[in-house]
Amino acid sequence: MNRALEHFKYVADFQNISLAAKALELSQPALSRSLKLLEQEYGVPLFERQARGVTLTDAGKILYTRIEKIELELAYAKQELAQIKSKERTMINIGAGPAWAAYLPTALRKLSHERPDINISIISNTIDVLLPKISNGELDIALGGDDKFDEKSYQDLAFLPLTQIDTNVVVHHTHPLAQISKPDLMSMHLFPWVSLTKGEKTLKQLNLFFQRKNLRQISFQMDTDVIDYALDMLVHERAIMCSTRQMFSRLPKGEFVSLELGEPIWRHQAGVWYQPSSRNSPIVNRLIELLASVVKNIDATNREGSI
């Protein structure tokens, strides 16, 4: 990155030309000239001068965002070159929600067999939390839904759909509703509800479902990302839980029941989010290929088993 852009970013970060000049070990007039030349080059003002400092104009904000992305790309390049030079173990950072436990372990085992030199780091959270970590370079890929695809903040990211996520209603096999072939939706308001993972998005979709049926809304009694707590509520408190079909397939067979409602509570596409440039990494590229293959095979097997 050239010196003029570095000067611009320092001033934007400090919001003060004098403080930025000290940090850069430049005179204030020299820094001001550098900024003026940069504004002349782009043909737009980049800063608004104020009594106590400077703030970015709309044009300045655009340039600042692009500079951050340049710095991120340079950091990626530095990391990749260092790995080539020193032959260090390769690190891949992954974020995923609980539904991906049906697919991710198999893909990672295959990748580890192919590349035993890899270090793998995984964090679990909702896609709302994971996407900013893709943007700032903390994660290489994030696995989740496509419901953020149209948000302006993430339009520079790439999304590859891999599977369809159906969210249904699950109870313990001893639950009164499990004894009915097609439960009355109104009766579901008589029991406590549990959400696995942070439930704002699930609760919104659940209440939209009830709204379409002209029924009153519900609220979650428990919101947890610890599955043992959620299942304990189902077993002992006759609670009801929203679960994806992928998560349901991992529950003890016969112990829990997916209620027949005629349609899923919520259906959406899910897949891999990543920075387009990260596909230049052979490791990231290979993991995405393996995930696509694993998801395809597991989904096909599950469909055959349900026929």
Side-chain angles (χ1 to χ4, degrees):
M1 188 166 64
N2 66 38
R3 292 288 289 172
L5 293 178
E6 182 183 10
H7 295 169
F8 164 82
K9 190 167 187 301
Y10 264 79
V11 174
D13 288 338
F14 280 98
Q15 297 184 338
N16 185 288
I17 294 176
S18 178
L19 293 177
K22 288 180 181 179
L24 288 164
E25 298 182 349
L26 286 175
S27 68
Q28 186 170 332
L31 181 55
S32 295
R33 283 195 300 272
S34 177
L35 296 177
K36 185 176 181 180
L37 289 172
L38 192 63
E39 289 179 323
Q40 289 175 350
E41 179 182 349
Y42 290 119
V44 290
L46 300 173
F47 292 100
E48 291 181 0
R49 275 70 175 177
Q50 299 174 344
R52 295 188 176 182
V54 295
T55 58
L56 289 170
T57 62
D58 288 342
K61 291 175 183 177
I62 291 172
L63 180 59
Y64 188 88
T65 299
R66 295 299 177 184
I67 289 173
E68 285 190 312
K69 293 185 182 300
I70 291 170
E71 289 182 331
L72 182 60
E73 292 300 319
L74 289 173
Y76 280 142
K78 184 177 181 180
Q79 183 183 36
E80 290 170 10
L81 292 174
Q83 289 168 355
I84 292 172
K85 180 180 178 181
S86 63
K87 300 188 184 299
E88 292 177 351
R89 292 171 63 88
T90 302
M91 186 78 180
I92 184 165
N93 299 292
I94 304 164
W100 291 91
Y103 308 113
L104 186 56
T106 302
L108 290 178
R109 283 197 301 272
K110 291 176 179 290
L111 184 64
S112 296
H113 290 158
E114 293 180 9
R115 291 291 304 269
D117 60 322
I118 292 175
N119 279 334
I120 300 168
S121 173
I122 307 172
I123 63 171
S124 178
N125 218 312
T126 61
I127 199 64
D128 312 67
V129 175
L130 298 177
L131 284 183
K133 296 181 184 295
I134 290 283
S135 296
N136 66 23
E138 290 181 52
L139 294 177
D140 296 302
I141 66 170
L143 306 176
D146 65 349
D147 49 310
K148 296 291 181 182
F149 190 72
D150 293 327
E151 288 196 12
K152 189 174 181 180
S153 304
Y154 306 120
Q155 286 181 352
D156 287 337
L157 302 182
F159 175 75
L160 176 66
L162 295 181
T163 189
Q164 178 177 281
I165 299 288
D166 287 351
T167 300
N168 297 304
V169 174
V170 173
V171 296
H172 190 253
H173 72 92
T174 60
H175 195 287
L177 296 180
Q179 318 310 315
I180 306 171
S181 59
K182 192 170 183 180
D184 176 18
L185 293 177
M186 289 186 65
S187 62
M188 293 185 183
H189 290 78
L190 303 175
F191 302 95
W193 283 78
V194 175
S195 173
L196 187 59
T197 73
K198 294 302 179 183
E200 294 88 351
K201 183 167 59 179
T202 303
L203 182 61
K204 178 182 177 181
Q205 295 297 331
L206 180 60
N207 280 323
L208 284 174
F209 175 82
F210 281 122
Q211 184 179 337
R212 291 195 300 270
K213 307 298 181 181
N214 296 316
L215 296 173
R216 64 182 175 86
Q217 296 187 346
I218 62 101
S219 59
F220 288 134
Q221 182 171 331
M222 177 183 285
D223 186 335
T224 178
D225 57 3
V226 181
I227 192 168
D228 288 345
Y229 295 161
L231 296 184
D232 184 78
M233 286 286 290
L234 268 63
V235 173
H236 298 291
E237 300 298 330
R238 293 184 170 182
I240 301 174
M241 180 176 75
C242 284
S243 171
T244 64
R245 61 179 174 82
Q246 288 85 353
M247 178 59 67
F248 179 72
S249 70
R250 297 180 61 81
L251 299 180
K253 291 189 181 298
E255 188 168 353
F256 298 93
V257 177
S258 180
L259 299 183
E260 177 54 56
L261 304 182
E263 61 181 289
I265 295 290
W266 178 26
R267 172 174 287 165
H268 65 286
Q269 292 293 311
V272 186
W273 288 87
Y274 55 91
Q275 290 272 7
S277 58
S278 68
R279 292 300 292 264
N280 296 327
S281 165
I283 299 301
V284 172
N285 212 38
R286 182 56 179 151
L287 177 57
I288 292 175
E289 290 175 354
L290 288 170
L291 269 170
S293 174
V294 167
V295 169
K296 182 179 179 180
N297 291 337
I298 290 178
D299 283 358
T301 300
N302 289 340
R303 281 194 297 270
E304 290 172 3
S306 64
I307 295 175

